[in-house]
Amino acid sequence: MKGGVIRLFEKLKKVLASAINFKKIPDSKSIPTDNFGYNTFKTQYKSTIPRNPTYRQLREFAKNPIVSQPIEAVKDRIAKMSYEIKPKIRGRKYSKQIKLIKNIIDNPNIDQTRRKFEAMILDDILTLDAGAFEVCKANDPNHPLYLYPIDGATVQHVIPMDYTDIDGYKYMQINDNGNTYFTRRELCFLSKNNFTHKPFGLSPVLKAYDYIRYYIEGVDKTNEDVSTKTSGMLINLGETATSDEVDKFREYFMNEIEGTGRIPIVGGTKGLDTKQIRSFTEDALYQSWFNLLITMVCSAFPYPVEKMINVSADRSTTEDFETRIIDELVKPYANLLEDAYNTHIINALGFGDILEFKYVYEDNENLKTKKWDRLNNAFIAGTITINEWRESVGLNPLISDYANLAGDERKAVINKELGMNGFNGVGNIKDTSDAKNKKVSEGGG
């Protein structure tokens, strides 16, 4: 009986704790995605959604296997990257503050991890150049901020923008209750390419879309010119062909051969002969068009075209591709998230003057070797300390009087302690014998 009461009491405690924790989770003002079918906003404010093509067309275009590969390359690499919260003041740890910030970043809300959260934001930035999330305050000392991802296409910039009022409305959203407004503290909007004349930029997916559209328009214009002009080829039936035979062959070719893929068979000649009447080159088989399509998409991001076209590559070439992807594609978008975390989490909590969020980039083997050689040479030359060397290669610092001394300074301290070169002793070597130490301890000399 007593055990049953205890179990009931423990269950009641869990229910009450769950209810209390639930109240600590803040409500969101925003709608997570476009549930109301607004692909254009009919207000006095300028929309962040590209009008041509629409954001729905861009999202469908981004699902194409060729376009999605560089998108996934960015999302996967950033999601797998480690990060660190670095103190801005050397020698200080700020362990409690760093633990609090990591709890927010690793668990932005009750439904998502950092990787899922970042993947959603990056997808909107790469597709629309419009990533967004809402920042909500909570009454939980261990998790004071919650981050809710928002469909970037639903967010509008309030025009004209007030750069002086930190609490003024900067963004808005249309929902079933009308317009919802947000301050720059309540909503984070991420865009890689920014302009003074409009609040949103130009995404890689839109660039690829425009590249392909411009090319197709050019091809259409060329085809139109060809169809309205004289053909560049003719077929000669020979000097003995009559007008009636020419008309019959023309009718036969137009009705039976063109557009069917059939092999035309004609008679009345001696022997069996074949003539090529259309091109069998790579251009005619559309292989060059496929490679051109890949090249246009890769140029828009940028992304190594060799990673998408089948080419043999050795280890050094593969490492070069990876370095290019990190430097030219991953880092610019990782920098956007770094700024977002520093502004809307670290600065918002009042830690901006002491802490900073940074992603940790893993060097390839070639760069690791060069970095190792450079650090070793610097340590041998005496320009860095052993602890600076260890920190640079990812090792914990040593607890030693010599570990934070560099070069000549370290040698001088060691020489002084060992009595080398006339320091603290007789001759060149300090007397460390038991007799000497005993005599000193007895006060004899």
Side-chain angles (χ1 to χ4, degrees):
M1 180 66 178
K2 185 177 180 181
V5 172
I6 293 175
R7 286 195 297 271
L8 182 62
F9 181 69
E10 291 296 328
K11 185 175 181 180
L12 181 61
K13 282 173 59 178
K14 290 181 180 180
V15 172
L16 290 174
S18 176
I20 293 171
N21 289 332
F22 181 76
K23 289 181 180 179
K24 291 181 180 180
I25 299 173
D27 292 331
S28 171
K29 289 169 42 177
S30 61
I31 53 173
T33 189
D34 184 11
N35 295 324
F36 304 95
Y38 296 106
N39 55 2
T40 56
F41 296 103
K42 299 177 181 179
T43 67
Q44 68 270 32
Y45 301 107
K46 191 170 184 178
S47 173
T48 61
I49 303 171
R51 295 184 179 180
N52 186 25
T54 66
Y55 75 88
R56 285 192 177 91
Q57 290 172 324
L58 283 179
R59 283 201 163 115
E60 288 301 316
F61 179 67
K63 295 176 183 177
N64 183 287
I66 297 176
V67 183
S68 65
Q69 182 166 331
I71 293 176
E72 295 300 321
V74 177
K75 292 163 59 175
D76 290 345
R77 283 163 176 79
I78 293 181
K80 292 176 183 177
M81 281 166 53
S82 301
Y83 72 89
E84 58 183 359
I85 310 296
K86 297 182 63 175
K88 292 183 177 180
I89 302 174
R90 190 176 180 86
R92 299 293 297 273
K93 293 185 177 180
Y94 301 109
S95 302
K96 183 178 180 181
Q97 294 88 336
I98 290 175
K99 181 180 179 181
L100 179 67
I101 294 168
K102 284 188 173 182
N103 189 31
I104 298 172
I105 293 175
D106 292 339
N107 306 282
N109 55 67
I110 61 172
D111 189 55
Q112 294 173 316
T113 62
R114 173 178 73 90
R115 288 177 169 82
K116 291 181 180 180
F117 174 81
E118 290 180 349
M120 295 178 71
I121 302 299
L122 287 167
D123 191 81
D124 269 6
I125 300 174
L126 290 161
T127 305
L128 309 175
D129 201 33
F133 62 86
E134 186 181 355
V135 183
C136 296
K137 293 183 179 180
N139 295 322
D140 186 350
N142 297 318
H143 205 298
L145 296 176
Y146 278 73
L147 313 179
Y148 300 123
I150 307 172
D151 180 351
T154 67
V155 178
Q156 294 179 270
H157 287 67
V158 174
I159 303 296
M161 190 180 300
D162 189 346
Y163 295 100
T164 61
D165 186 3
I166 193 172
D167 295 317
Y169 290 126
K170 187 177 180 181
Y171 309 103
M172 65 165 288
Q173 206 182 38
I174 296 178
N175 53 46
D176 55 350
N177 296 320
N179 297 340
T180 301
Y181 293 88
F182 302 88
T183 67
R184 49 180 48 84
R185 291 174 174 175
E186 295 174 322
L187 191 143
C188 175
F189 187 88
L190 297 94
S191 176
K192 181 177 178 292
N193 299 294
N194 298 282
F195 306 94
T196 58
H197 57 281
K198 59 181 180 179
F200 59 89
L202 185 63
S203 71
V205 173
L206 181 57
K207 289 180 184 177
Y209 183 95
D210 285 339
Y211 278 158
I212 296 170
R213 182 168 60 86
Y214 295 152
Y215 178 80
I216 292 176
E217 287 176 356
V219 171
D220 288 343
K221 184 66 169 62
T222 302
N223 290 338
E224 182 181 348
D225 291 343
V226 170
S227 65
T228 57
K229 294 180 180 178
T230 304
S231 174
M233 300 288 291
L234 61 82
I235 299 177
N236 183 11
L237 298 182
E239 60 182 357
T240 60
T242 64
S243 298
D244 186 49
E245 289 174 337
V246 171
D247 290 340
K248 287 182 178 179
F249 182 81
R250 182 183 293 120
E251 182 180 356
Y252 157 75
F253 206 87
M254 292 175 61
N255 295 334
E256 302 294 333
I257 302 303
E258 287 185 352
T260 65
R262 297 174 183 171
I263 298 176
I265 301 176
V266 295
T269 60
K270 295 181 179 181
L272 179 64
D273 192 17
T274 60
K275 300 291 183 182
Q276 183 174 327
I277 60 174
R278 68 179 178 86
S279 173
F280 291 96
T281 63
E282 187 181 83
D283 288 347
L285 297 175
Y286 299 102
Q287 290 300 312
S288 61
W289 155 242
F290 185 71
N291 290 341
L292 178 61
L293 177 65
I294 292 175
T295 302
M296 288 189 287
V297 172
C298 289
S299 298
F301 275 85
Y303 186 78
V305 67
E306 298 89 347
K307 293 279 286 183
M308 298 181 71
I309 297 177
N310 250 343
V311 294
S312 59
D314 55 21
R315 180 175 177 178
S316 62
T317 305
T318 302
E319 287 184 353
D320 178 61
F321 290 160
E322 186 63 23
T323 300
R324 286 165 55 190
I325 292 173
I326 295 296
D327 290 340
E328 300 175 11
L329 185 57
V330 172
K331 284 186 177 180
Y333 291 95
N335 291 341
L336 289 178
L337 289 175
E338 285 180 350
D339 291 342
Y341 287 143
N342 283 317
T343 300
H344 292 277
I345 297 177
I346 296 180
N347 290 356
L349 294 174
F351 304 143
D353 56 339
I354 59 174
L355 296 172
E356 183 180 25
F357 175 95
K358 281 286 185 183
Y359 284 107
V360 178
Y361 296 96
E362 184 71 23
D363 294 330
N364 60 43
E365 293 302 320
N366 186 34
L367 290 178
K368 285 180 180 178
T369 301
K370 291 181 179 179
K371 182 178 180 180
W372 182 271
D373 292 340
R374 185 174 67 253
L375 290 170
N376 281 344
N377 292 335
F379 177 73
I380 293 171
T383 57
I384 63 174
T385 69
I386 190 171
N387 272 347
E388 288 174 334
W389 179 90
R390 292 176 67 87
E391 183 181 356
S392 298
V393 297
L395 299 175
N396 294 326
L398 293 176
I399 302 175
S400 168
D401 294 336
Y402 310 122
N404 293 314
L405 302 175
D408 294 338
E409 185 182 15
R410 182 175 63 253
K411 292 178 182 178
V413 172
I414 293 174
N415 286 338
K416 184 176 180 180
E417 290 185 354
L418 296 181
M420 300 293 290
N421 299 326
F423 283 115
N424 295 338
V426 179
N428 290 331
I429 302 177
K430 182 179 180 180
D431 186 354
T432 59
S433 65
D434 292 339
K436 172 75 173 178
N437 293 336
K438 183 178 180 182
K439 186 175 181 181
V440 171
S441 64
E442 294 174 351

